[in-house]
Amino acid sequence: MTESDAHFETLAIRTQTPQTGEREHSTPMYLTSSFVFDDAEQARALFADEISGNIYTRYSNPTVDEFVKKMCLLEGAEDGIATASGMAAVFASMAGLLQAGDHILASRALFGSTHQILTKLFPKWGIRHTYVDTGTPDEWERAIEPTTKLVFVETPSNPGLELIDLEWLGGLCKRRQLRLVVDNCFATPYLQKPIPLGADLVVHSATKFLDGQGRTLGGVIVGRKDLVADIRFFARHTGPSLSPFNAWILSKSLETLAVRMERHCDNALRIAEHFANHSALEEVRYPFLANHPQQSIAKRQMRFGGGIVVLVVKGGLPRACRFLDSVQLLSHSPNLGDTRSIVTHPTSTTHSKLSEEDRQRVGIVPGLIRVSVGLEHVDDVIADLEQALERSE
Ligand SMILES: *Cc1c(COP(=O)(O)O)cnc(C)c1O
């Protein structure tokens, strides 16, 4: 069996750093900051890029490489690098490719810190951006400027669950010679593979479903070899490297990604359907629910609907706060993609730095609760959400 015909689950489990003389079954952690040179000539050749090999863990490390290699195989990418957090991956994917005078086109519905990079940091270095709403294909084409170099999107978006047709956007980017970067954090490669659909790069917060157990921060960028080479140069010299310890956790986590995602998605769909017509809710949003305006896109480009369900409570902010204070089983925390189900209130936490108007434009209303559906028994999660809705009345 070759790598190319092995299935997702097999690649996620059997991609391993070569065994050492100890014949270990599970890959060891290479907790070392540097590597020893054989001789002066080898040291020179390694630094001159004449031969490849490990030098220093900021550049490469066998445990980190295993995680990256798996992610490349799972996403269908040529090459990749790992970073210390999802934001380090988002930032490096842009900063490693752009220069002063360049312009970024981005979906308006973005993770809070990605929004801060575009609006507060990049303008200091002369990199501008334009936001486009997801559901308006003509606007994307119109918003392209002569200096536009990169298109950055999140689909499904955090937390509004807005979708973008990746095949369509990939086609547009190819025609206009723009690099398409997709934050695939909510879907994971098990549910959605942006690269075969036309993306040049995929970035992840590995902190979320890739870890899946709320233990560690991490990030990864995979995609076109030439673009990854530029980002690797940026990362090698600016230092957002993933620790080998965290890489080991993440690589082990990928072994169970497929089974975990199936259960996350089953449970999330059950919850979305259960609460769809609930009298205490204004809206239930879930990509595979019939009322989702982009359900057909979701069904085309995603295997299942994902592990996140959005509930909008009637009664706005006061009721949302009472609801958060009423959950008993679920955790009230800013993370997502954990075995434990989590409720988050984006208006007052993850997206509090956005103006009220900016939040409204991406559907983040004061009553919106993001539910990251975990792997507890779904009936227990439903019961807790039910009692919290009742108590918050
Ligand atoms: C959490 C998240 C990030 C940032 O990841 P960190 O690991 O927290 O730095 C980026 N994008 C999306 C969609 C996220 O949910």
Side-chain angles (χ1 to χ4, degrees), residues 137-151:
D138 297 346
E139 251 187 62
W140 285 87
E141 187 125 32
R142 269 202 301 276
I144 298 171
E145 298 183 11
T147 55
T148 307
K149 292 280 162 55
L150 190 141
V151 176

PDB file of all heavy atoms in Angstrom, residues 137-151:
ATOM      1  N   PRO A 137     -21.372  37.032  -4.527  1.00  0.00           N
ATOM      2  CA  PRO A 137     -20.286  36.675  -5.452  1.00  0.00           C
ATOM      3  C   PRO A 137     -19.785  37.842  -6.316  1.00  0.00           C
ATOM      4  O   PRO A 137     -18.572  37.980  -6.501  1.00  0.00           O
ATOM      5  CB  PRO A 137     -20.927  35.597  -6.345  1.00  0.00           C
ATOM      6  CG  PRO A 137     -22.118  35.101  -5.608  1.00  0.00           C
ATOM      7  CD  PRO A 137     -22.552  36.172  -4.677  1.00  0.00           C
ATOM      8  N   ASP A 138     -20.706  38.692  -6.797  1.00  0.00           N
ATOM      9  CA  ASP A 138     -20.263  39.790  -7.681  1.00  0.00           C
ATOM     10  C   ASP A 138     -19.326  40.744  -6.966  1.00  0.00           C
ATOM     11  O   ASP A 138     -18.385  41.287  -7.551  1.00  0.00           O
ATOM     12  CB  ASP A 138     -21.458  40.591  -8.201  1.00  0.00           C
ATOM     13  CG  ASP A 138     -22.356  39.717  -9.044  1.00  0.00           C
ATOM     14  OD1 ASP A 138     -21.895  38.618  -9.425  1.00  0.00           O
ATOM     15  OD2 ASP A 138     -23.505  40.124  -9.294  1.00  0.00           O
ATOM     16  N   GLU A 139     -19.596  40.948  -5.679  1.00  0.00           N
ATOM     17  CA  GLU A 139     -18.794  41.909  -4.915  1.00  0.00           C
ATOM     18  C   GLU A 139     -17.342  41.484  -4.785  1.00  0.00           C
ATOM     19  O   GLU A 139     -16.449  42.320  -4.723  1.00  0.00           O
ATOM     20  CB  GLU A 139     -19.388  42.080  -3.519  1.00  0.00           C
ATOM     21  CG  GLU A 139     -20.039  43.437  -3.336  1.00  0.00           C
ATOM     22  CD  GLU A 139     -20.467  43.634  -1.913  1.00  0.00           C
ATOM     23  OE1 GLU A 139     -19.575  43.629  -1.029  1.00  0.00           O
ATOM     24  OE2 GLU A 139     -21.682  43.761  -1.687  1.00  0.00           O
ATOM     25  N   TRP A 140     -17.115  40.170  -4.724  1.00  0.00           N
ATOM     26  CA  TRP A 140     -15.735  39.681  -4.592  1.00  0.00           C
ATOM     27  C   TRP A 140     -14.928  40.135  -5.799  1.00  0.00           C
ATOM     28  O   TRP A 140     -13.829  40.648  -5.665  1.00  0.00           O
ATOM     29  CB  TRP A 140     -15.701  38.154  -4.479  1.00  0.00           C
ATOM     30  CG  TRP A 140     -16.139  37.671  -3.141  1.00  0.00           C
ATOM     31  CD1 TRP A 140     -17.423  37.410  -2.754  1.00  0.00           C
ATOM     32  CD2 TRP A 140     -15.316  37.440  -1.992  1.00  0.00           C
ATOM     33  NE1 TRP A 140     -17.444  37.016  -1.434  1.00  0.00           N
ATOM     34  CE2 TRP A 140     -16.164  37.014  -0.940  1.00  0.00           C
ATOM     35  CE3 TRP A 140     -13.945  37.531  -1.755  1.00  0.00           C
ATOM     36  CZ2 TRP A 140     -15.684  36.697   0.331  1.00  0.00           C
ATOM     37  CZ3 TRP A 140     -13.467  37.199  -0.496  1.00  0.00           C
ATOM     38  CH2 TRP A 140     -14.336  36.792   0.537  1.00  0.00           C
ATOM     39  N   GLU A 141     -15.506  39.936  -6.960  1.00  0.00           N
ATOM     40  CA  GLU A 141     -14.784  40.285  -8.187  1.00  0.00           C
ATOM     41  C   GLU A 141     -14.560  41.801  -8.254  1.00  0.00           C
ATOM     42  O   GLU A 141     -13.475  42.265  -8.590  1.00  0.00           O
ATOM     43  CB  GLU A 141     -15.591  39.796  -9.402  1.00  0.00           C
ATOM     44  CG  GLU A 141     -14.873  39.957 -10.714  1.00  0.00           C
ATOM     45  CD  GLU A 141     -14.773  38.647 -11.486  1.00  0.00           C
ATOM     46  OE1 GLU A 141     -15.684  37.808 -11.372  1.00  0.00           O
ATOM     47  OE2 GLU A 141     -13.769  38.494 -12.206  1.00  0.00           O
ATOM     48  N   ARG A 142     -15.612  42.563  -7.893  1.00  0.00           N
ATOM     49  CA  ARG A 142     -15.514  44.029  -7.940  1.00  0.00           C
ATOM     50  C   ARG A 142     -14.486  44.570  -6.946  1.00  0.00           C
ATOM     51  O   ARG A 142     -13.870  45.606  -7.194  1.00  0.00           O
ATOM     52  CB  ARG A 142     -16.877  44.662  -7.609  1.00  0.00           C
ATOM     53  CG  ARG A 142     -17.734  44.912  -8.835  1.00  0.00           C
ATOM     54  CD  ARG A 142     -18.786  45.979  -8.566  1.00  0.00           C
ATOM     55  NE  ARG A 142     -19.675  45.633  -7.468  1.00  0.00           N
ATOM     56  CZ  ARG A 142     -20.755  44.870  -7.595  1.00  0.00           C
ATOM     57  NH1 ARG A 142     -21.086  44.387  -8.782  1.00  0.00           N
ATOM     58  NH2 ARG A 142     -21.516  44.607  -6.563  1.00  0.00           N
ATOM     59  N   ALA A 143     -14.304  43.884  -5.838  1.00  0.00           N
ATOM     60  CA  ALA A 143     -13.423  44.407  -4.779  1.00  0.00           C
ATOM     61  C   ALA A 143     -11.938  44.146  -5.059  1.00  0.00           C
ATOM     62  O   ALA A 143     -11.067  44.645  -4.346  1.00  0.00           O
ATOM     63  CB  ALA A 143     -13.815  43.796  -3.441  1.00  0.00           C
ATOM     64  N   ILE A 144     -11.645  43.362  -6.109  1.00  0.00           N
ATOM     65  CA  ILE A 144     -10.234  43.088  -6.430  1.00  0.00           C
ATOM     66  C   ILE A 144      -9.584  44.372  -6.948  1.00  0.00           C
ATOM     67  O   ILE A 144     -10.127  45.047  -7.808  1.00  0.00           O
ATOM     68  CB  ILE A 144     -10.117  41.956  -7.483  1.00  0.00           C
ATOM     69  CG1 ILE A 144     -10.697  40.658  -6.920  1.00  0.00           C
ATOM     70  CG2 ILE A 144      -8.665  41.762  -7.913  1.00  0.00           C
ATOM     71  CD1 ILE A 144     -10.840  39.532  -7.946  1.00  0.00           C
ATOM     72  N   GLU A 145      -8.423  44.704  -6.388  1.00  0.00           N
ATOM     73  CA  GLU A 145      -7.684  45.906  -6.810  1.00  0.00           C
ATOM     74  C   GLU A 145      -6.408  45.475  -7.525  1.00  0.00           C
ATOM     75  O   GLU A 145      -5.990  44.321  -7.395  1.00  0.00           O
ATOM     76  CB  GLU A 145      -7.332  46.748  -5.574  1.00  0.00           C
ATOM     77  CG  GLU A 145      -8.563  47.240  -4.827  1.00  0.00           C
ATOM     78  CD  GLU A 145      -8.211  48.137  -3.642  1.00  0.00           C
ATOM     79  OE1 GLU A 145      -7.030  48.542  -3.518  1.00  0.00           O
ATOM     80  OE2 GLU A 145      -9.128  48.422  -2.845  1.00  0.00           O
ATOM     81  N   PRO A 146      -5.747  46.407  -8.242  1.00  0.00           N
ATOM     82  CA  PRO A 146      -4.492  46.023  -8.914  1.00  0.00           C
ATOM     83  C   PRO A 146      -3.440  45.499  -7.942  1.00  0.00           C
ATOM     84  O   PRO A 146      -2.608  44.676  -8.322  1.00  0.00           O
ATOM     85  CB  PRO A 146      -4.017  47.337  -9.559  1.00  0.00           C
ATOM     86  CG  PRO A 146      -5.239  48.181  -9.677  1.00  0.00           C
ATOM     87  CD  PRO A 146      -6.155  47.790  -8.550  1.00  0.00           C
ATOM     88  N   THR A 147      -3.480  45.943  -6.677  1.00  0.00           N
ATOM     89  CA  THR A 147      -2.466  45.488  -5.706  1.00  0.00           C
ATOM     90  C   THR A 147      -2.946  44.322  -4.850  1.00  0.00           C
ATOM     91  O   THR A 147      -2.238  43.908  -3.933  1.00  0.00           O
ATOM     92  CB  THR A 147      -2.071  46.649  -4.760  1.00  0.00           C
ATOM     93  OG1 THR A 147      -3.267  47.141  -4.152  1.00  0.00           O
ATOM     94  CG2 THR A 147      -1.371  47.760  -5.508  1.00  0.00           C
ATOM     95  N   THR A 148      -4.135  43.783  -5.138  1.00  0.00           N
ATOM     96  CA  THR A 148      -4.620  42.643  -4.351  1.00  0.00           C
ATOM     97  C   THR A 148      -3.732  41.436  -4.621  1.00  0.00           C
ATOM     98  O   THR A 148      -3.488  41.073  -5.768  1.00  0.00           O
ATOM     99  CB  THR A 148      -6.083  42.301  -4.708  1.00  0.00           C
ATOM    100  OG1 THR A 148      -6.877  43.471  -4.588  1.00  0.00           O
ATOM    101  CG2 THR A 148      -6.622  41.212  -3.792  1.00  0.00           C
ATOM    102  N   LYS A 149      -3.225  40.842  -3.524  1.00  0.00           N
ATOM    103  CA  LYS A 149      -2.326  39.690  -3.671  1.00  0.00           C
ATOM    104  C   LYS A 149      -2.925  38.430  -3.068  1.00  0.00           C
ATOM    105  O   LYS A 149      -2.602  37.329  -3.497  1.00  0.00           O
ATOM    106  CB  LYS A 149      -0.987  39.971  -2.960  1.00  0.00           C
ATOM    107  CG  LYS A 149      -0.152  41.048  -3.599  1.00  0.00           C
ATOM    108  CD  LYS A 149       0.599  40.511  -4.812  1.00  0.00           C
ATOM    109  CE  LYS A 149       1.078  41.636  -5.723  1.00  0.00           C
ATOM    110  NZ  LYS A 149       1.890  42.627  -5.028  1.00  0.00           N
ATOM    111  N   LEU A 150      -3.765  38.632  -2.048  1.00  0.00           N
ATOM    112  CA  LEU A 150      -4.159  37.472  -1.259  1.00  0.00           C
ATOM    113  C   LEU A 150      -5.633  37.583  -0.880  1.00  0.00           C
ATOM    114  O   LEU A 150      -6.136  38.667  -0.593  1.00  0.00           O
ATOM    115  CB  LEU A 150      -3.266  37.470  -0.010  1.00  0.00           C
ATOM    116  CG  LEU A 150      -3.253  36.270   0.911  1.00  0.00           C
ATOM    117  CD1 LEU A 150      -1.814  36.026   1.379  1.00  0.00           C
ATOM    118  CD2 LEU A 150      -4.123  36.509   2.123  1.00  0.00           C
ATOM    119  N   VAL A 151      -6.309  36.434  -0.909  1.00  0.00           N
ATOM    120  CA  VAL A 151      -7.710  36.362  -0.477  1.00  0.00           C
ATOM    121  C   VAL A 151      -7.742  35.437   0.741  1.00  0.00           C
ATOM    122  O   VAL A 151      -7.224  34.324   0.687  1.00  0.00           O
ATOM    123  CB  VAL A 151      -8.602  35.812  -1.606  1.00  0.00           C
ATOM    124  CG1 VAL A 151     -10.041  35.639  -1.131  1.00  0.00           C
ATOM    125  CG2 VAL A 151      -8.543  36.732  -2.827  1.00  0.00           C
TER     126      VAL A 151
END
